[in-house]
Structure formats: C-alpha cells, structure tokens
Amino acid sequence: MTANELRAKFLKFMESKGHTIIPSASLVPQNDPTVLFTTAGMHPLVPYLLGEKHPGGARVANAQKCVRTGDIDEVGDNRHLTFFEMLGNWSFGDSQKTDGIGAGYFKREAIEWSFEFLTGEKWLGISPERIFVTVFKGDETAPKDEESIGIWQAQFKKAGLNAKVADDDGIWSDPDVKIFPLGRDDNWWEGGGQTAPGGPDTEMFFDTRPQEGYAAKTFGELVDAFRFIEIWNDVFMQYRKKAAGGYEPLNQKNVDTGMGVERTLAVLNGVETVFETELFEPLFRKIGEITGTEYGDFIKEYRIIADHLKAATFILAAGIVPSNVEHGYVLRRLIRRAIRYAKLLGVSRAFTVELAQVVVDMYQETYFELEGKRAFIFEELTKEEEKFRKTLEKGLKELKSQVHNSKVKALSGEIVFNLYQTFGFPIEMTRELAVEEGMEIDEAGFEKELRRHQELSRTASAGKFKGGLADHSEETTKLHTAAHLLLESLRRVLGNHISQKGSNITAERLRFDFTHGEKMTPEQIKQVEGLVNEQIDKDLPVRVEEMTVAKAKETGAMGAFESKYGEKVKVYFIGDFSKEICGGPHAEHTGALGHFKILKEESSSAGVRRIKAILATSQ
Ligand code: SER
C-alpha cells in the first residue's frame, strides 16, 4: 500500500459515513498561542470541539500535517519523527443518530467505524486477530469505560472472536484477551494549554509478530518490545480542563481520532520501522547519491537528515524563515542539525535544496502549497546553509579545543554562548556535541550569558511559545509587564475563570487574548484600566524567583503547568499584586510603565476575547 492509497481510502471511507473532507490546516496555528506548531489533527479544530459551528457540519475528516518538536534530539532512533501526518475523523457533538441506535455520533460509531476501516476487505483488510485495543480504566475524573469495552466486544464477536478483557494489572493473562483497560498515562488524551478539551480514549494496536504467540506479559512490555504498535487513537472528548485545576463536562460529546500515516503504512507493508516506507526511501536514495554512502552503515545520520529536512521544508512552506526566536528557531535547529550530520558523512557542499526538492516532489499532490512555495523554500534553505557552513568547521574546532582544554566536566556558559553567538551553534547542538565527548554544558551559565545579551528568549530555546514578545526592547518589555498586570486585573474584575490564551507584544502595542464568554462592558473596561494604572502609580517592584513547577503551583502563580520535566521555572512577582510563571524579561518596577490604555476589546474566537492596549508615556 502506498501513502496516497492509504490517505485516499481513509477519506473515502469517512466520506461514505457522512463526513465532510476538509483540507489540512497550516502547520503554524493561527489562533492558538499554546503551541508553536500543529501537533495533532484536533489542534486547529479546538473551537469546534468547544461548541462553535464548523462550516463543514458536525462530521469532518482530513489528513493533517503535524510537527512535534519535543523530541528533536531523539530523532535518529527507530521511532521518533518531527514531521508526520495524521488521519482523523471528528464528531463535533453530532447528535444525528446512526442506524437509529444510540444518541448520536459518539463512542459506538467511532469504534465501529474504526474496526470496519481496519478490518474491512475493501479498506485496510487487517486480520482482527492482529488487533488489540486499550480503554480507560477509570480514575477520579471519569469512570472505567465499560461502554467502549462492550462495543469492542461486539465488534470482535462479529469477526468470530470471543474478546476477553484484561484485569486492571494490564497483563495478557489469556490468549483470548483483546481489550486492556489502562490508566491515565495511556488512555487519557487532552490538548495542551490550561483549558483544553480532552477525555478518555481507546487506542488500537497492531500485532507485528503474531508468530511469537501468546505471552503472559504486560501490555506495556509488548509495546516496548515493538511487538504491539499503536496505529489509531479514538478520543472521547467530553471534558474540558479548568484553569484552576480539575475538569468540567463539555456541553457536547465529541469524537477526535488520529491515525499516524507513517506507522500505519509501515505495519501494512510488513516493515519494521517508518523509515523503510516510501515516505523515507526516496530521501535516503538521494542522501546515498550525495554522500556515496549506504543507509545501512549510517542509519542514525540518514534518519536525522531526512526527517529534519522534511520538517524544515514543510515549515518553510508555511512561510516561516530561520531566526533566533520561536518557530524560526526550531526551523534553524532542524536545518543546522541536518547539516552537521551530513558533515559526518563527508558532505562539505550545499545539499539541503536537493533533499527539499525530493520532499516537494513526494508530497505536492497531497499538500498543494508546496509547489507554489518551491522557490521560497530553496532560497531560504540556501541562505541558511551558506550562513552556517561558513562557521560550522571553525565552530567544531573551537568546541574540540575547549573540550580538550577544559579541566572540568562541563563547558562553561561563556563558551557555549560564544559557540552560539559567533558560530551559530544552537545550544541543543552544543549539548549534543558535548555529550558525544563525555561532557555536559553549563546550561544555567549559558542562560545567564544569554539574558545578558538578550538575544534569544529562554522560551524559544525550550521550543515553547510563552512571552509572545516580538523583541526585547525597553518598550516591549514594559508592555510585557503591563500584560501581567492586565491578567490579574481582569481576574479581579471579571472573575477567576479568566486565563490567558495568548499574547503578542511589540514595541507599539499589546495584544492579549483571554477566556471570557461575553463582551466586556465599558464600565468593566474602565475598572480594569483603573486597576492596572493603580499598580503603576504604586511603583511596585518586579521580582523574579526560580523554582520547581510544583513549588510554583503551591504559590498559586498563574501560568501553564504542562512541563513534564521537573525543570525549574521562573515566577515573576509584581509587588503582592500578581505572580505568574514567565520567561521574562520585565521592567524592574511598575512606575516605569507610563499610562495604561485599552484601545479595543473584541471577540477573538469562541469563548476568547482580545484586548489591544498601549502605554502612553505622557498622560
Ligand atoms: N488527538 C489525539 C491524538 O493526537 C487523536 O487525534 O492522538
């Protein structure tokens, strides 16, 4: 099966079930400041999952291009990718009954259709014997998903199988066990951001090695051994995270599904990894031609170069250019890491355009924007490659000599910063190179250097969008501090349901999105302005403290608590008025801000309002 066949079959199947086929949304979210890139098919659809009406109706499906940046440095092993495609079908609380049974398109339809598409002769034709599923086993938020268990059992029964359910220990305790109830880590899915929709899910796995027979192992062990590969996830999105913690039921019961194209293609074709599919082979062929090497001898290098330049091509096609902040920084990291790995294969000439060419040829029939952006993509790649090629060699020499001179086990912040500033080495690249030499880098020292130079926000280096600052000029910085005062003032005037949805700050003005269901009255706007200006008049000190996420939560600081890494965060305190997790930078005291004025208050999207405000220096 080819990728084109797989996408076409999926969309045709979903169309036959009443779905409107919609195009892939941009890789760069238009209205969602919680992520830099679209990371799942549901991302661009959040407003509709929360109740807005979709022009395509209550059932839609598509093939969505996605980028996940959390594991860039893991790419090279046999499962991580930055760019991938997701096939998905959605019910936006569709109340239409199907076959006259049930209350509408929810669990029953989602599961039945998943099973039909996976096993149907006309569709993927997978033997039901090779399918295993997981369901949510329940916790304090939602009960055990008995309904899905029942629906799955009925499906397997139709196929002549007596599907048994595993105990809560998740062990494959009997050859007939097909259904595994697992906990929150496995069977709960929700979007990023403080108030994202989410819910229990049921995941479908393909048994890649049935010849090994039944084994009394845990489900997790079978996944870790790459025997069971997840191919599809049906999320029953009926909750929404509350900013203050906990969940509330949504007014509508949604379905959000996601099937990974690369993985599904791999299992359907009986190959072990996504890298052995036609979505990578043409790229590997080209790398072989350029370098005169073989994939089998340089597996890691080939995978990194192919994945990174594929992702870079798509990010460029979305109109992003390499830079030192946010999307542009991720793009830069991808391109530069690919160039460094190509150097390990002996490449000392420009080559990235040749691979981008292959990417465009491979995908242009599916993602039409690529063809029109060909010239732009090639031009930007050439520029970035030229820039980096000039310094790469020298930078590597510098790094080597520093490694050899160094008596300590960590490269100092100054050295790391110099490699960044003078030789254009993204910090992640220096870290990777240092690790190869058995060393670490002084990350805190680097951050300190960086802050001093105010070149690149910490936020960007973490690959996350937080501050929304266009630059770190004095005016922008003051408006950033005003944004913190604004958030707290909105909460005091309108209530604690207010949370920040995003901000965009330039030297001229502040744009601030927040959750609120209705238009603010002129009176409320005045009150909020008044409260902000009151804090400015008090000339409150702005203080920053680094602490763990847990500690930040304890202090009651506002902010996104998605961090999984136990890393430290910065909390900015403005007097006793506001505390917020934030990457900075900020004014040192509020007296410097000038007079705060709200110019406009308007709707941004469903349940989200937008304020435009300025700081006037003379009142
Ligand atoms: N949002 C879910 C996922 O990413 C299903 O589409 O897996």
Side-chain angles (χ1 to χ4, degrees):
M1 172 142 348
T2 65
N4 275 343
E5 278 164 8
L6 174 59
R7 293 186 206 101
K9 275 194 180 199
F10 179 83
L11 297 176
K12 191 166 165 218
F13 177 82
M14 289 303 163
E15 202 169 15
S16 79
K17 303 292 183 193
H19 294 76
T20 303
I21 308 306
I22 58 172
S24 170
S26 167
L27 259 188
V28 177
Q30 308 300 313
N31 254 324
D32 186 347
T34 61
V35 285
L36 282 177
F37 296 101
T38 297
T39 59
M42 59 78 75
H43 235 126
L45 300 172
V46 167
Y48 312 104
L49 294 162
L50 297 179
E52 209 167 287
K53 294 278 167 273
H54 193 285
R59 292 179 188 195
V60 305
N62 80 354
Q64 173 68 45
K65 45 190 182 289
C66 302
V67 161
R68 289 189 184 175
T69 58
D71 300 313
I72 292 182
D73 297 323
E74 304 298 323
V75 174
D77 65 6
N78 54 13
R79 52 169 141 186
H80 285 94
L81 293 178
T82 49
F83 175 87
F84 65 99
E85 295 170 82
M86 200 182 264
L87 299 169
N89 54 290
W90 290 272
S91 163
F92 302 128
D94 185 3
S95 57
Q96 191 185 322
K97 290 185 182 171
T98 309
D99 306 337
I101 316 168
Y105 172 5
F106 194 47
K107 293 184 182 178
R108 198 176 67 84
E109 286 75 1
I111 294 175
E112 282 184 5
W113 294 340
S114 288
F115 194 79
E116 185 182 344
F117 183 68
L118 290 175
T119 62
E121 277 301 311
K122 255 176 81 182
W123 309 109
L124 300 190
I126 297 174
S127 157
E129 316 262 354
R130 296 183 79 163
I131 293 176
F132 291 78
V133 303
T134 62
V135 297
F136 186 53
K137 79 172 177 190
D139 68 5
E140 64 286 353
T141 311
K144 183 167 181 173
D145 196 352
E146 298 288 357
E147 195 183 345
S148 292
I149 292 177
I151 302 167
W152 276 121
Q153 282 182 313
Q155 300 312 299
F156 283 113
K157 196 163 176 198
K158 271 194 262 172
L161 297 175
N162 168 31
K164 290 189 184 159
V165 184
D167 289 336
D168 282 357
D169 55 15
I171 294 176
W172 191 8
S173 52
D174 177 315
D176 285 338
V177 164
K178 282 283 191 191
I179 303 167
F180 294 80
L182 301 177
R184 197 183 171 81
D185 286 349
D186 295 290
N187 286 92
W188 183 276
W189 202 93
E190 61 192 26
Q194 285 188 62
T195 56
D201 68 23
T202 176
E203 302 186 0
M204 288 146 264
F205 291 73
F206 180 88
D207 182 1
T208 60
R209 301 194 297 271
Q211 67 276 14
E212 288 179 12
Y214 149 75
K217 295 192 172 149
T218 65
F219 193 80
E221 282 166 344
L222 293 155
V223 171
D224 289 343
F226 300 108
R227 175 164 170 186
F228 289 174
I229 306 266
E230 186 205 333
I231 51 177
W232 204 349
N233 180 11
D234 290 358
V235 186
F236 304 119
M237 230 164 223
Q238 51 179 343
Y239 299 96
R240 179 185 190 153
K241 268 190 276 184
K242 291 198 284 189
Y247 292 85
E248 62 194 3
L250 281 170
N251 290 335
Q252 64 186 44
K253 289 181 173 174
N254 306 296
V255 172
D256 154 43
T257 92
M259 174 188 269
V261 170
E262 290 78 3
R263 278 191 204 178
T264 307
L265 200 60
V267 304
L268 289 174
N269 288 308
V271 294
E272 276 186 19
T273 74
V274 297
F275 298 104
E276 288 142 80
T277 64
E278 55 147 11
L279 295 175
F280 282 93
E281 274 161 356
L283 287 160
F284 290 167
R285 256 199 313 277
K286 183 53 93 183
I287 297 171
E289 259 171 57
I290 295 171
T291 60
T293 60
E294 303 262 349
Y295 172 61
D297 296 329
F298 296 98
I299 293 178
K300 181 177 175 191
E301 290 80 0
Y302 270 62
R303 288 174 177 175
I304 290 173
I305 297 166
D307 167 85
H308 285 13
L309 291 177
K310 190 197 280 193
T313 301
F314 274 96
I315 294 172
L316 284 161
I320 303 293
V321 293
S323 76
N324 280 341
V325 289
E326 296 172 2
H327 308 86
Y329 183 66
V330 172
L331 175 59
R332 171 159 284 170
R333 268 176 73 189
L334 290 167
I335 298 172
R336 295 190 173 191
R337 190 162 184 255
I339 295 172
R340 157 162 119 79
Y341 273 91
K343 190 168 186 305
L344 295 178
L345 302 187
V347 180
S348 55
R349 62 170 178 87
F351 76 101
T352 57
V353 167
E354 285 169 61
L355 287 172
Q357 183 96 45
V358 177
V359 176
V360 173
D361 291 344
M362 276 166 72
Y363 286 97
Q364 59 180 343
E365 268 177 51
T366 312
Y367 302 109
F368 305 123
E369 75 274 17
L370 288 171
E371 176 56 35
K373 287 276 187 187
R374 211 180 259 265
F376 172 81
I377 295 167
F378 297 171
E379 218 170 278
E380 289 299 328
L381 272 176
T382 305
K383 274 198 275 182
E384 180 68 4
E385 190 167 3
E386 258 174 30
K387 208 184 274 176
F388 189 51
R389 217 164 262 298
K390 277 194 200 134
T391 57
L392 174 62
E393 187 97 25
K394 284 194 201 121
L396 288 171
K397 272 204 194 111
E398 169 70 15
L399 186 129
K400 278 249 178 312
S401 77
Q402 293 295 353
V403 165
H404 294 302
N405 291 340
S406 189
K407 288 179 198 67
V408 281
K409 272 274 166 216
L411 288 178
S412 75
E414 227 168 302
I415 295 169
V416 179
F417 183 77
N418 184 41
L419 283 164
Y420 165 74
Q421 172 90 334
T422 312
F423 302 101
F425 281 31
I427 179 176
E428 296 81 2
M429 181 186 289
T430 303
R431 185 191 298 129
E432 196 177 7
L433 285 160
V435 168
E436 284 170 16
E437 302 284 345
M439 293 191 70
E440 289 173 1
I441 60 175
D442 175 2
E443 315 239 356
F446 172 73
E447 289 292 341
K448 213 164 119 196
E449 272 314 294
L450 196 56
R451 266 202 297 280
R452 234 158 43 94
H453 291 75
Q454 298 201 330
E455 283 277 340
L456 161 73
S457 76
R458 178 186 157 93
T459 323
S461 77
K464 287 182 217 144
F465 185 114
K466 275 183 197 154
L469 273 60
D471 56 53
H472 288 177
S473 69
E474 203 183 318
E475 290 310 313
T476 308
T477 305
K478 285 180 192 169
L479 275 159
H480 187 200
T481 305
H484 282 218
L485 295 175
L486 174 61
L487 172 61
E488 183 56 32
S489 301
L490 284 166
R491 287 170 63 85
R492 294 195 186 190
V493 173
L494 301 177
N496 279 342
H497 62 284
I498 302 289
S499 65
Q500 179 169 344
K501 286 294 285 181
S503 66
N504 181 303
I505 306 173
T506 68
E508 284 79 40
R509 91 295 176 270
L510 155 68
R511 203 177 80 196
F512 188 89
D513 290 354
F514 60 102
T515 49
H516 188 49
E518 59 211 71
K519 193 169 171 51
M520 286 173 72
T521 64
E523 188 50 37
Q524 287 169 334
I525 292 178
K526 241 203 202 114
Q527 276 177 18
V528 169
E529 261 179 3
L531 206 49
V532 172
N533 282 319
E534 206 177 291
Q535 312 317 312
I536 293 176
D537 292 344
K538 283 187 194 157
D539 196 15
L540 299 171
V542 181
R543 177 168 73 76
V544 57
E545 216 177 282
E546 289 214 29
M547 56 183 85
T548 60
V549 175
K551 176 85 196 303
K553 242 186 221 181
E554 247 176 63
T555 67
M558 294 293 297
F561 292 110
E562 287 126 43
S563 168
K564 284 184 188 152
Y565 308 109
E567 66 190 315
K568 291 210 167 176
V569 291
K570 289 196 272 179
V571 177
Y572 275 88
F573 296 82
I574 308 184
D576 289 333
F577 185 73
S578 134
K579 39 189 175 224
E580 207 177 302
I581 295 183
C582 176
H586 281 282
E588 283 172 14
H589 51 102
T590 59
L593 301 189
H595 186 75
F596 179 77
K597 178 131 195 62
I598 294 179
L599 298 182
K600 216 180 197 176
E601 191 273 346
E602 61 192 0
S603 163
S604 162
S605 61
V608 179
R609 308 290 305 173
R610 172 168 290 178
I611 278 180
K612 288 202 181 116
I614 54 164
L615 286 169
T617 18
S618 58
Q619 299 199 14

